[in-house]
Amino acid sequence: MLTTYDTTGHSLSKHDENTPITANTVWFDLLNPTKEEDNHVETLLGISVPTRAEMREIEASSRFYQENGASYMTGFIVHNIDEQTLGTSTLTFILTGNALVTVRYTDSRAFPAFLSRVDRGDASCQTGAAIMIGLIETLIERQADLIEQIQDRVDKLAKGIFDLGARRARANKLDVLLKGTGTQGDIVARVTESATSLERVLHVLKNTAQERNCEGKVFQRIETADRDLASLAEHMRFLSDRIGFLLNATLGLISNEQNQIIKLFSVMAVMLMPPTLVASVYGMNFRHMPELEWISGYPMALGLMLVSAIVPFIYFRRKGWL
């Protein structure tokens, strides 16, 4: 889908498809574009729109380059931050002349959020560079919201790990907590990757803005966004370290649970050894065993086995092994 926007200086309006583009047409947004839409934008602007496969290239030379006077910048973004499953995708910015082209294959909510900011007058939209830095600012804000959500989830996980409650439910609960901790660790890794990618985009945008002699406000916003990303990076490092600690703590508790089970079996085996010895002695088929003729022989043997089991049990309890 191709959506084209014109600037009025303070707001954006959708361009009428039946009228030719003008100098005020500053944004071409390609969402899951068809081949025909790609060709249309290429013809209008004299550029080459990268394919989805080309956007996934990880080499810096494939993500940041100039071609036919246009500057290409591709970043890695996260989306669906308000849902259970976090999505990831690539986003390409193309600055050509005074216009911006965005190529994306996911319906990120950062885009309508940016348009809402423009409607409120909170974001500049006079040039393609201004729109690009506005989109990046919105992406950073959404990442900050996601980090706050992760912090709340990690706090809940920490409380669950160190307050397990009844032993009967500990094993199942530890398994759930282990999976939850691993999931949050994966999310933090993806957000870190996205923040690092956006930081590189900002650096390239700064150089591109200097080459294009953009207005000073664009540079100020780039510097502010760069500081915001640095702040987010500190939070993500803290979260990553904390999640690593919680993961190790969970694994340690699981190992302790397993050791407790092994210790219980070992103690039970030792407790049953004396009764087994008594039963083995009186299970022998020798002819001359005086106790076999006793009337109280059978109760005595049972009592002896019971006492030989109780004595180790009391000893282990006093030692704190049970």
Side-chain angles (χ1 to χ4, degrees), residues 5-13 23-26 98 125-127:
Y5 295 91
D6 294 335
T7 180
T8 62
H10 302 287
S11 63
L12 290 172
S13 61
N24 292 327
T25 307
V26 292
N98 195 46
C125 59
Q126 296 179 353
T127 64

Side-chain angles (χ1 to χ4, degrees), residues 2 8 25 53 73 93 158 166 184 187 193 220 230 245 281 287:
L2 171 62
T8 62
T25 307
M73 290 158 275
F93 300 96
Q184 298 309 312
I187 292 175
E193 182 182 5
Q220 294 175 1
F245 164 73
V281 169
R287 183 182 299 274

Side-chain angles (χ1 to χ4, degrees), residues 105-162:
Y105 288 89
T106 180
D107 192 10
S108 172
R109 295 184 182 178
F111 282 71
F114 167 71
L115 291 173
S116 297
R117 289 180 58 201
V118 172
D119 292 338
R120 296 194 304 268
D122 295 336
S124 176
C125 59
Q126 296 179 353
T127 64
I131 294 173
M132 178 176 173
I133 186 60
L135 286 169
I136 293 176
E137 289 170 346
T138 307
L139 288 168
I140 294 173
E141 290 176 2
R142 302 234 351 132
Q143 286 193 3
D145 293 339
L146 176 58
I147 291 173
E148 292 173 0
Q149 294 178 20
I150 297 172
Q151 286 178 329
D152 294 338
R153 296 171 191 167
V154 171
D155 289 340
K156 186 176 180 180
L157 285 170
K159 184 178 180 180
I161 290 171
F162 298 111

Side-chain angles (χ1 to χ4, degrees), residues 15-84:
H15 179 79
D16 187 356
E17 297 179 355
N18 298 321
T19 60
I21 63 172
T22 65
N24 292 327
T25 307
V26 292
W27 185 14
F28 300 81
D29 183 30
L30 289 166
L31 172 60
N32 294 313
T34 63
K35 184 63 177 176
E36 291 75 16
E37 291 171 338
D38 281 349
N39 293 336
H40 179 63
V41 172
E42 290 176 347
T43 302
L44 284 176
L45 302 177
I47 62 173
S48 175
V49 176
T51 64
R52 189 170 192 174
E54 291 171 341
M55 291 170 59
R56 291 176 59 87
E57 297 289 340
I58 63 174
E59 304 96 321
S61 59
S62 298
R63 294 203 163 198
F64 307 103
Y65 61 94
Q66 292 187 353
E67 185 178 272
N68 296 328
S71 299
Y72 293 74
M73 290 158 275
T74 300
F76 179 81
I77 64 170
V78 292
H79 56 92
N80 295 337
I81 68 173
D82 299 323
E83 301 178 9
Q84 294 294 328

Side-chain angles (χ1 to χ4, degrees), residues 88-241:
T88 57
S89 183
T90 51
L91 169 63
T92 296
F93 300 96
I94 307 173
L95 283 176
T96 174
N98 195 46
L100 170 69
V101 180
T102 52
V103 187
R104 55 195 176 108
Y105 288 89
T106 180
D107 192 10
S108 172
R109 295 184 182 178
F111 282 71
F114 167 71
L115 291 173
S116 297
R117 289 180 58 201
V118 172
D119 292 338
R120 296 194 304 268
D122 295 336
S124 176
C125 59
Q126 296 179 353
T127 64
I131 294 173
M132 178 176 173
I133 186 60
L135 286 169
I136 293 176
E137 289 170 346
T138 307
L139 288 168
I140 294 173
E141 290 176 2
R142 302 234 351 132
Q143 286 193 3
D145 293 339
L146 176 58
I147 291 173
E148 292 173 0
Q149 294 178 20
I150 297 172
Q151 286 178 329
D152 294 338
R153 296 171 191 167
V154 171
D155 289 340
K156 186 176 180 180
L157 285 170
K159 184 178 180 180
I161 290 171
F162 298 111
D163 186 17
L164 290 173
R167 177 175 292 274
R168 180 174 297 179
R170 286 169 67 97
N172 292 335
K173 192 172 182 180
L174 281 171
D175 183 61
V176 173
L177 291 171
L178 181 62
K179 293 179 180 178
T181 305
T183 299
Q184 298 309 312
D186 178 65
I187 292 175
V188 169
R190 295 188 183 200
V191 176
T192 302
E193 182 182 5
S194 176
T196 302
S197 178
L198 289 178
E199 185 178 15
R200 294 172 181 171
V201 170
L202 279 175
H203 291 166
V204 176
L205 175 60
K206 183 177 181 179
N207 296 332
T208 303
Q210 290 175 344
E211 294 174 358
R212 295 173 177 270
N213 296 319
C214 293
E215 58 180 350
K217 290 183 178 179
V218 171
F219 293 98
Q220 294 175 1
R221 294 170 65 186
I222 291 175
E223 293 294 337
T224 301
D226 196 28
R227 288 194 297 269
D228 289 341
L229 280 175
S231 176
L232 292 184
E234 293 180 4
H235 283 285
M236 286 184 287
R237 280 194 294 269
F238 167 75
L239 278 175
S240 181
D241 292 341

Side-chain angles (χ1 to χ4, degrees), residues 253-304:
L253 289 172
I254 291 175
S255 178
N256 185 59
E257 286 291 316
Q258 294 174 341
N259 291 338
Q260 289 292 336
I261 294 172
I262 297 300
K263 184 174 74 173
L264 178 62
F265 279 112
S266 300
V267 170
M268 292 297 295
V270 173
M271 286 175 52
L272 293 175
M273 286 176 62
T276 302
L277 176 62
V278 174
S280 300
V281 169
Y282 288 105
M284 298 179 185
N285 293 322
F286 291 108
R287 183 182 299 274
H288 300 290
M289 293 185 69
E291 295 87 341
L292 296 178
E293 302 295 333
W294 295 354
I295 296 176
S296 58
Y298 178 67
M300 182 198 71
L302 292 178
L304 184 59

